[in-house]
Amino acid sequence: MIVQLPGLIDIHVHLREPGATHKEDFLTGSSAAIAGGFTYILDMPNNPIPTFSIEALEQKVSLSKEKARCDIGFHYGTDGNNLDTFPQAWNDSAVFGLKIYCNETTGKYVVTEEELLDRIFAAWRSLKPILVHAEGNMLPKMLFLARKHQRRIHVCHVATAEDVQIIQKEKAIYDQITCGVCPHHLFLTTDDESRLSGFFRVKPPIGNQDDQDALWEGIHDGTIDIVESDHAPHTKEEKTVAEPAYGMPGLETTLGLLLRAVHDKRLPMKIVLALLYDRPKRIFSVPDQKDTYVTCDPDEPYRIGEDGYFTKCQWSPFDGWEAYGKVRRVVFRGATIYQDGRFLI
Ligand code: NCD
Ligand code: ZN
Ligand code: ZN
């Protein structure tokens, strides 16, 4: 049966424009979003020229307005040298949060120095969340700073059983914490490494079965608030060298994988909508999108990649997997813009 879903929201994508448009750009990235059922996406700041200045932000806003097929908002970023620009950033309606990288990943904008992190948390005097890439011992440090400064914090891509436990404990004493999990951490384990080779490489690294089980448990007990794709496209060449780039695409596969979990009775449909719409909308204050919706048949199986991909990188770690509920139609502000694998605009 064809059902109608709201236009979904992905709060964690890397569309690579400007600076790395050989991997993705606003047109290909937003096309992948629409084909995957997402009509509002939030783009991360770790471009070659990072979104650490108002000029860089304005450039992204204008390029995306020119080229994108869906709505795109932005997370501002920091290396600790742009604190004076924070008020202008949080007052900008295109900005939805502040991203801090505490561990090595694509872009190398890592901040680990505690005194500097403290100043960053103090300076972001906004209700817009601080998003953190915080693995290992950086996670407790960031949760501590959020509570100390009474800031809202969103922990990106939770990937280990230990981190789920840390977040669950901290949520009990401070209620301004939210977190997200990625489809690749929910559906892959270290058992997939030899098959996927460089395409398996992502930060945080994919864990073992116990980690994966804890993430599913966290979804069911409410510790995990949302699913974010962390759509991080890199070319096939960049994934097959000696030191492959970190990251994998996800915009076109997230919904189909979660609907497969619904089909397998591992997840109620209501939770899928909470993970991909209600909670991202509430946590990041994403504006309403009038007359915008997506249709699909959640009982209909398909093979991931059978019609190709819109992402410029042209691959998926889930290629050939069975998924459910391929997006049939996307209506964006009253107009059908996508139907049965084709864009009408
Ligand atoms: C992301 C990227 O490529 O921009 N890579 C990744 O492995 N997740 C950066 C990030 O989200 O850490
Ligand atoms: Zn990250
Ligand atoms: Zn990311």
Side-chain angles (χ1 to χ4, degrees), residues 34-93:
I34 293 289
F38 294 94
T39 56
Y40 217 125
I41 56 180
L42 305 183
D43 175 67
M44 287 292 173
N46 62 333
N47 296 68
I49 294 173
T51 323
F52 291 2
S53 69
I54 302 302
E55 298 71 53
L57 171 68
E58 280 170 357
Q59 196 188 7
K60 275 200 175 186
V61 170
S62 83
L63 285 166
S64 67
K65 284 214 170 105
E66 244 169 69
K67 296 174 75 175
R69 285 176 149 146
C70 64
D71 283 329
I72 306 187
F74 300 92
H75 297 303
Y76 201 60
T78 187
D79 56 0
N81 293 314
N82 60 349
L83 306 194
D84 56 320
T85 65
F86 280 9
Q88 222 183 319
W90 76 58
N91 280 319
D92 194 317
S93 62

Side-chain angles (χ1 to χ4, degrees), residues 21 26 59 84 114 132 137 142 160 193 198 227 271 281 303 308 330:
T21 51
F26 284 122
Q59 196 188 7
D84 56 320
E114 279 175 54
V132 294
N137 67 350
M142 300 306 271
T160 67
E193 179 162 14
V227 167
I271 297 192
K281 187 171 186 359
R303 294 261 161 222
V330 178

Side-chain angles (χ1 to χ4, degrees), residues 1-229:
M1 192 185 61
I2 301 270
V3 301
Q4 188 174 314
L5 311 176
L8 303 175
I9 300 168
D10 190 346
I11 65 100
H12 187 159
V13 305
H14 302 265
L15 296 197
R16 311 299 193 197
E17 185 164 2
T21 51
H22 64 290
K23 299 176 195 275
E24 196 77 290
D25 60 44
F26 284 122
L27 179 62
T28 56
S30 63
S31 302
I34 293 289
F38 294 94
T39 56
Y40 217 125
I41 56 180
L42 305 183
D43 175 67
M44 287 292 173
N46 62 333
N47 296 68
I49 294 173
T51 323
F52 291 2
S53 69
I54 302 302
E55 298 71 53
L57 171 68
E58 280 170 357
Q59 196 188 7
K60 275 200 175 186
V61 170
S62 83
L63 285 166
S64 67
K65 284 214 170 105
E66 244 169 69
K67 296 174 75 175
R69 285 176 149 146
C70 64
D71 283 329
I72 306 187
F74 300 92
H75 297 303
Y76 201 60
T78 187
D79 56 0
N81 293 314
N82 60 349
L83 306 194
D84 56 320
T85 65
F86 280 9
Q88 222 183 319
W90 76 58
N91 280 319
D92 194 317
S93 62
V95 170
F96 288 75
L98 175 74
K99 179 67 178 281
I100 310 175
Y101 293 95
C102 306
N103 307 87
E104 189 204 331
T105 187
T106 308
K108 301 197 163 44
Y109 301 113
V110 184
V111 189
T112 51
E113 218 245 293
E114 279 175 54
E115 193 268 336
L116 184 55
L117 287 165
D118 193 77
R119 284 200 284 123
I120 292 170
F121 272 81
W124 188 257
R125 296 183 308 280
S126 168
L127 288 174
K128 295 181 180 178
I130 296 176
L131 300 93
V132 294
H133 176 133
E135 300 175 47
N137 67 350
M138 292 312 292
L139 176 61
K141 288 184 189 177
M142 300 306 271
L143 294 174
F144 169 80
L145 285 176
R147 181 151 54 91
K148 174 181 170 191
H149 294 281
Q150 295 288 299
R151 299 290 184 249
R152 297 182 60 198
I153 186 169
H154 176 81
V155 181
C156 291
H157 45 43
V158 178
T160 67
E162 194 187 351
D163 289 356
V164 175
Q165 204 175 43
I166 290 170
I167 289 165
Q168 188 174 36
K169 281 202 182 126
E170 195 69 21
K171 274 187 163 191
I173 53 171
Y174 182 57
D175 67 1
Q176 298 300 307
I177 302 169
T178 57
C179 69
V181 68
C182 302
H184 43 272
H185 295 117
L186 287 173
F187 291 94
L188 300 173
T189 67
T190 39
D191 292 348
D192 297 289
E193 179 162 14
S194 56
R195 182 176 56 85
L196 289 170
S197 181
F199 297 92
F200 184 80
R201 202 159 127 108
V202 65
K203 291 284 277 177
I206 288 161
N208 61 26
Q209 192 62 54
D210 289 342
D211 293 311
Q212 191 188 87
D213 291 346
L215 298 175
W216 282 98
E217 182 77 29
I219 284 184
H220 288 289
D221 71 19
T223 306
I224 285 163
D225 298 278
I226 66 176
V227 167
E228 53 195 50
S229 76

Side-chain angles (χ1 to χ4, degrees), residues 310-328:
F310 286 98
T311 175
K312 204 179 272 190
C313 76
Q314 292 294 313
W315 62 273
S316 163
F318 303 107
D319 193 70
W321 283 39
E322 187 176 66
Y324 278 78
K326 189 188 287 185
V327 169
R328 289 266 158 237

